[in-house]
Amino acid sequence: MSEDGWTWELASKAQDDLDALNSTEQQRIIDKLDEIVDSPWRDPPEYGEPLQNSSRRKVRIGEFRIAVTFRRDDHRMVVARIKRRGGAYTADDD
């Protein structure tokens, strides 16, 4: 957790997405999510890039694209989906 109290959590679909990956891929994603909320250099929302036609933002982690919502009121980064780049932005993301 960073000094200003940011944490991250997985929505149920994101947990399913993570569970479907091998352990090395899972650890890489978890490490990056930890790095984002613990960074002393950047506010976590600065890591996200806007997604067209969505209130979510995307975070790139290697070949993966993570759809997230930054909740500033309680300093939570909620991960909605974890997808490989080729299939990251499809209609089933909600």
Side-chain angles (χ1 to χ4, degrees):
M1 182 182 295
S2 64
E3 285 183 18
D4 60 358
W6 280 92
T7 60
W8 63 267
E9 66 184 55
L10 299 173
S12 61
K13 286 185 178 184
Q15 184 65 60
D16 292 342
D17 294 340
L18 187 68
D19 291 344
L21 303 176
N22 70 46
S23 61
T24 301
E25 294 168 330
Q26 289 175 2
Q27 194 59 53
R28 181 176 186 187
I29 290 168
I30 290 168
D31 289 347
K32 184 63 176 183
L33 294 173
D34 286 342
E35 177 185 317
I36 290 169
V37 298
D38 290 338
S39 174
W41 309 111
R42 293 171 74 182
D43 192 38
E46 293 176 19
Y47 283 88
E49 298 175 30
L51 277 173
Q52 279 188 317
N53 304 319
S54 177
S55 61
R56 294 181 182 150
R57 300 179 71 79
K58 68 179 175 182
V59 174
R60 292 181 287 178
I61 302 175
E63 69 179 279
F64 295 96
R65 299 300 177 259
I66 314 301
V68 300
T69 301
F70 293 98
R71 297 190 177 165
R72 291 180 184 272
D73 57 332
D74 58 0
H75 290 131
R76 280 188 303 144
M77 178 175 69
V78 180
V79 179
R81 296 302 306 255
I82 301 169
K83 297 283 189 174
R84 291 187 193 277
R85 185 174 172 202
Y89 311 116
T90 60
D92 73 342
D93 284 351
D94 289 325

